[in-house]
Amino acid sequence: MKRYDFDEIIPREGTNCIKYDGREWIFKTNDVLPLWVADMDFRTPDFIVKAIKKRAEHEIFGYTFKPESYFKSIIGWMQRRHNWNVQKEWISFSPGVVAGLTLAIETFSNPGDEVVVQPPVYFPFFDCVKGTRRKLVKNPLKLENGRYTFDFDDLKSKITGNTKLLMLCNPQNPGGMVWTKEELHELSSICLKNNIMVISDEIHSDLVFEGHKHIPFASISEEAASNSVVFMAPSKTFNVAGLSSSVAIIPDKTNFARYERALGVGHLGMGNIFGTVALEAAYNHGDEWLAQMLDYIWDNYLFLEKFMSEKLPKVKVMKPESTYLIWLDFNEYGMNDSELFKFTINEAKVGLNNGAKFGTGGNGWLRINIGCPRSILEEGLNRLEKAFGKL
């Protein structure tokens, strides 16, 4: 069995990558160690690179369609990883998950309709709703015993006859919750009773730690399947976000046809030649690489947890059930969000995500990306200790 090297340092400057070359734009300085945006500093798996190189050898990159092998790779992955029997006729495309979320909102609602989001949550959700001229309805998550849960009573109190969609983050970002079947069933029941369609972002579905199991929303019941659109992608899992190849899974025939029609209007369905090749390679050959990567990420988390407990005990770490994005509570330092964000940049010289951007419940929190060699993570944590240890 091949052993992959996740300790390898791979310089990324000069590749036009947002994480490193975009530091001036995001942090107003290049003098920060970037541990923010959700891509990893690990080498893209060799079987993906090999497949892309093989396709590139043909040297004609004209119009293409998705072959039968593309659909089989998705179906096989969903069965192996999530015990979900996906049918070929359910599978559609999106250039990216956020693009798909936006397209779904435009397809299954009208301007002025209400769309529910559950903050703190991946902040492009807010832009998807507001940018399509829908009304944003916030159903904040509850923080109980160090874990987020749904606030069903709050949700029921905010539903009106104009509430048409609910955007679900499954697994949850930034908290890393893997929603249980019981939680999803209750959410589905409320939405079905009120004719609210669920648009589920499941881009982190493969990044689940031992002891937890991702459950695709559409897999929990036939009723949920008929009332949902699920978006997945190999991008976070295999570090291929730049190849723009996401998957929309829509079991209901009518909903599928409506989405496909909207996709076709913008000529968005063809996708990227190399994205298609990368997805196939990832889903056909990625199980062992993913297992090793998740073990490494979990050890990174344990390293971070121990470091904070011993050296920065004021920082509360939310224990993740999934993802390489960790949610850190800095509220004991008494700074407002602007002060906290600027302090991490100017004093610690570390680039993290500002928790306030994730909406209600994000004040005083920062999100850190631990999808990197441990030496980089250790450097970032040492910088945080040096700065915050003075306070």
Side-chain angles (χ1 to χ4, degrees):
M1 180 179 67
K2 179 173 182 175
R3 297 300 303 177
Y4 292 95
D5 182 9
F6 298 103
D7 287 316
E8 180 185 14
I9 303 294
I10 304 171
R12 298 184 64 186
E13 291 90 344
T15 63
N16 297 321
C17 74
I18 291 176
K19 190 172 188 177
Y20 284 82
D21 296 328
R23 283 176 290 184
E24 182 71 37
W25 169 44
I26 299 296
F27 303 107
K28 312 306 179 189
T29 177
N30 286 317
D31 190 22
V32 293
L33 183 67
L35 296 172
W36 62 295
V37 69
D39 71 4
M40 299 183 288
D41 288 330
F42 304 140
R43 185 181 298 277
T44 298
D46 55 344
F47 46 86
I48 294 177
V49 175
K50 182 179 178 181
I52 290 172
K53 286 182 176 179
K54 182 178 180 180
R55 177 61 183 85
E57 288 175 356
H58 186 273
E59 298 183 354
I60 296 178
F61 312 123
Y63 295 124
T64 60
F65 61 88
K66 294 176 178 58
E68 188 69 21
S69 55
Y70 168 87
F71 296 97
K72 286 183 177 179
S73 71
I74 295 167
I75 291 167
W77 185 259
M78 297 306 164
Q79 178 60 53
R80 292 196 312 278
R81 306 300 302 189
H82 307 303
N83 196 31
W84 188 18
N85 295 315
V86 170
Q87 306 300 309
K88 177 184 176 182
E89 57 268 24
W90 301 355
I91 300 172
S92 187
F93 173 80
S94 175
V97 166
V98 174
L101 296 172
T102 303
L103 189 61
I105 290 172
E106 292 182 326
T107 301
F108 300 109
S109 67
N110 296 305
D113 285 346
E114 296 173 352
V115 180
V116 178
V117 298
Q118 299 171 308
V121 72
Y122 181 51
F123 46 84
F125 277 27
F126 307 123
D127 296 331
C128 292
V129 176
K130 295 176 181 178
T132 53
R133 295 184 292 129
R134 273 62 172 174
K135 181 179 178 182
L136 182 68
V137 176
K138 298 178 183 178
N139 169 223
L141 300 172
K142 295 190 296 185
L143 183 55
E144 296 181 348
N145 301 317
R147 182 184 188 274
Y148 285 124
T149 62
F150 295 123
D151 190 336
F152 294 121
D153 290 333
D154 179 77
L155 174 60
K156 287 184 243 186
S157 74
K158 291 177 177 175
I159 292 172
T160 73
N162 201 37
T163 310
K164 303 301 181 184
L165 301 175
L166 181 143
M167 297 180 70
L168 174 65
C169 198
N170 177 35
Q172 206 271 342
N173 171 16
M177 275 65 259
V178 176
W179 303 119
T180 66
K181 183 172 287 188
E182 292 73 23
E183 288 172 319
L184 294 175
H185 268 294
E186 180 63 21
L187 186 68
S188 176
S189 176
I190 294 170
C191 289
L192 285 166
K193 183 178 180 180
N194 292 279
N195 296 313
I196 299 170
M197 177 181 279
V198 175
I199 310 299
S200 189
D201 171 1
E202 306 193 6
I203 197 168
H204 294 280
S205 57
D206 300 318
L207 302 168
V208 174
F209 299 123
E210 188 175 349
H212 303 278
K213 178 68 176 174
H214 174 72
I215 302 171
F217 182 83
S219 73
I220 62 174
S221 69
E222 290 185 9
E223 293 79 10
S226 68
N227 190 49
S228 61
V229 177
V230 171
F231 290 98
M232 293 180 170
S235 53
K236 305 298 184 194
T237 311
F238 296 99
N239 216 24
V240 291
L243 294 178
S244 299
S245 186
S246 299
V247 177
I249 302 178
I250 313 171
D252 183 82
K253 289 183 179 180
T254 300
N255 291 337
F256 182 89
R258 291 178 66 186
Y259 178 86
E260 280 276 296
R261 188 160 51 246
L263 192 69
V265 168
H267 286 238
L268 298 173
M270 187 175 299
N272 177 298
I273 292 173
F274 299 112
T276 299
V277 169
L279 181 146
E280 278 196 52
Y283 286 167
N284 285 331
H285 307 293
D287 297 83
E288 179 56 35
W289 184 90
L290 176 56
Q292 293 184 35
M293 188 271 283
L294 285 175
D295 285 344
Y296 190 91
I297 292 291
W298 183 250
D299 286 342
N300 268 2
Y301 166 71
L302 294 177
F303 179 85
L304 178 147
E305 182 185 55
K306 185 173 186 290
F307 186 100
M308 292 301 191
S309 175
E310 294 177 353
K311 299 182 179 180
L312 287 174
K314 286 185 178 181
V315 179
K316 302 300 183 290
V317 182
M318 183 171 285
K319 185 176 182 179
E321 299 168 357
S322 66
T323 90
Y324 50 80
L325 304 168
I326 310 300
W327 200 221
L328 305 175
D329 182 358
F330 282 78
N331 275 289
E332 281 196 30
Y333 287 97
M335 300 183 192
N336 64 38
D337 293 297
S338 178
E339 291 170 340
L340 178 62
F341 189 56
K342 289 178 180 178
F343 188 84
T344 59
I345 296 169
N346 298 326
E347 302 301 325
K349 299 190 183 303
V350 176
L352 306 177
N353 286 104
N354 186 349
K357 291 192 67 176
F358 295 83
T360 306
N363 294 332
W365 293 72
L366 296 169
R367 192 186 74 171
I368 186 171
N369 180 346
I370 62 170
C372 59
R374 193 153 306 131
S375 59
I376 293 178
L377 176 61
E378 184 174 14
E379 170 64 21
L381 295 179
N382 284 332
R383 291 185 184 195
L384 290 172
E385 181 201 9
K386 183 177 181 180
F388 283 92
K390 299 175 183 177
L391 301 179

